[in-house]
Amino acid sequence: MSSTPNLDALQRDGFVIIRNLLTPTEIAHYRTIATEATTKTRAGGWPHFRTVPKQFPPWPLTPPPASEGGIWGVQHLMHPEMPNRQSFAKCYFSPQILQVVEELVGVSSPTSEEPLVMELFNLLVAPETKDFELRWHRDDIPENASAEEELAQLAAKSPGGRQSHAQYNLALCPDASLIVVPGSHRRARTEVERNAAPYEPSLPGQLVVQLQPGDAVFYDSNILHRGVYKAKPEGGEETRLTLHGSLGVKGGDDEKKKVRATAVLQHGVGAWVHRDDAAFGIGERPEKMRANLVAMGTGEGIGYSLQG
């Protein structure tokens, strides 16, 4: 038996599904507060969101009307002004999530210096009135990269098969939105993949990740993947509430630090994480992880990883 079964699966397939990461009580609680955050954002009461039809930041300052699809994400769940932010933080910093992250990035629970960096915690939701799709992409590698450039960047971003961060989708509703090509995080795109339409509905070997409430998928951010979001029924309950988080590893050379800083700070978290009222009050370790994020900078002038 392997001592790192989750890492083994991630390295082999590019993703690993963790079943029942949350208890039924936790699912009900987080679903309630996630619904409240979504309702507030849809009504224009929260200024940080992802909007249809845009895929990557920067995001518009006002949400489009529901008739145009509205929002597909709520940003900054741990922002000092977000209602229930302490509950969201308890989820993000929970031992069950940190234990998986530590295995995937190869660090141990700290005795003195904190090895993990707080990064992002957002919410992915169903658009309104119309379906929305993300095109095929890798998070940190542009689509116009040559095969040689892809291989070099994949090797640099995951030396020894380990990324410098872990990211996940944690479902609060049944979720079949993420589509991946298993194993594509270790190779350049095939000619079929390179020449496929941006929203090609069926690539060879693709897999739809099926999550039930409480399940999480941790995935290599440079696996070839896309998202398909079904519209929320008008006047009905929220049909997609998926917590989307990432945590990083402190250290690395200057170039790797710059790449990761861009990926994280492009979302605007650096504008508030240093504030006096940004402390969580739930223990020492979250504050050390927050301090590691503050040390990355504010993100001013840092640019964006991808366009569109």
Side-chain angles (χ1 to χ4, degrees):
M1 294 290 290
S2 170
S3 61
T4 57
N6 297 321
L7 176 60
D8 294 345
L10 181 72
Q11 291 183 322
R12 180 186 65 244
D13 302 323
F15 69 98
V16 57
I17 298 174
I18 313 293
R19 301 293 183 190
N20 303 310
L21 195 61
L22 299 179
T23 67
T25 299
E26 290 171 329
I27 293 167
H29 170 65
Y30 292 126
R31 182 165 177 162
T32 295
I33 64 175
T35 298
E36 291 173 359
T38 304
T39 300
K40 182 181 181 69
T41 305
R42 290 196 199 282
W46 184 248
H48 308 292
F49 38 73
R50 302 183 180 193
T51 58
V52 176
K54 209 167 185 316
Q55 180 162 348
F56 305 116
W59 311 105
L61 299 178
T62 56
S67 61
E68 297 178 10
I71 64 169
W72 63 276
V74 179
Q75 302 282 84
H76 304 311
L77 297 181
M78 298 191 294
H79 190 289
E81 295 164 26
M82 167 61 76
N84 300 303
R85 58 103 60 167
Q86 193 173 63
S87 282
F88 285 124
K90 287 180 179 178
C91 180
Y92 180 85
F93 295 109
S94 65
Q96 59 264 43
I97 289 179
L98 295 186
Q99 184 176 14
V100 176
V101 171
E102 288 166 354
E103 177 186 343
L104 297 183
V105 300
V107 302
S108 302
S109 298
T111 54
S112 55
E113 184 175 354
E114 174 58 57
L116 294 179
V117 182
M118 170 188 154
E119 290 190 346
L120 305 170
F121 201 39
N122 304 314
L123 179 65
L124 307 179
V125 304
E128 297 177 272
T129 70
K130 60 175 63 178
D131 297 346
F132 172 60
E133 299 184 10
L134 306 181
R135 68 177 187 257
W136 288 106
H137 66 286
R138 306 183 193 269
D139 283 359
D140 294 328
I141 300 175
E143 60 189 17
N144 59 358
S146 68
E148 293 75 16
E149 290 168 338
E150 276 188 292
L151 289 172
Q153 291 190 48
L154 288 171
K157 295 172 190 296
S158 300
R162 293 180 187 269
Q163 285 198 302
S164 60
H165 69 285
Q167 72 180 45
Y168 60 88
N169 290 350
L170 174 55
L172 304 176
C173 304
D175 192 325
S177 301
L178 178 65
I179 305 173
V180 300
V181 179
S184 59
H185 63 308
R186 289 288 176 268
R187 59 168 175 78
R189 285 167 293 172
T190 65
E191 285 304 306
V192 170
E193 292 165 350
R194 187 173 291 275
N195 295 321
Y199 302 94
E200 169 60 48
S202 182
L203 281 182
Q206 73 174 40
L207 181 145
V208 179
V209 177
Q210 302 278 352
L211 302 178
Q212 293 302 313
D215 294 345
V217 57
F218 288 76
Y219 59 100
D220 188 304
S221 63
N222 285 314
I223 192 172
L224 194 59
H225 66 285
R226 76 185 194 105
V228 175
Y229 302 159
K230 296 298 183 182
K232 169 183 173 290
E234 185 175 358
E237 293 185 357
E238 296 294 337
T239 52
R240 189 188 192 209
L241 295 167
T242 297
L243 297 167
H244 180 57
S246 69
L247 298 97
V249 180
K250 184 179 179 181
D253 60 41
D254 289 343
E255 181 59 28
K256 289 178 182 176
K257 288 179 182 178
K258 180 181 178 181
V259 169
R260 193 60 201 155
T262 299
V264 174
L265 298 177
Q266 66 179 340
H267 291 278
V269 64
W272 58 264
V273 69
H274 63 283
R275 286 172 34 171
D276 291 340
D277 59 353
F280 297 109
I282 56 173
E284 183 179 8
R285 190 171 189 192
E287 296 312 314
K288 289 183 176 180
M289 292 172 62
R290 183 171 71 91
N292 287 343
L293 174 56
V294 170
M296 291 175 68
T298 64
E300 292 183 14
I302 204 166
Y304 300 93
S305 296
L306 299 173
Q307 302 296 319

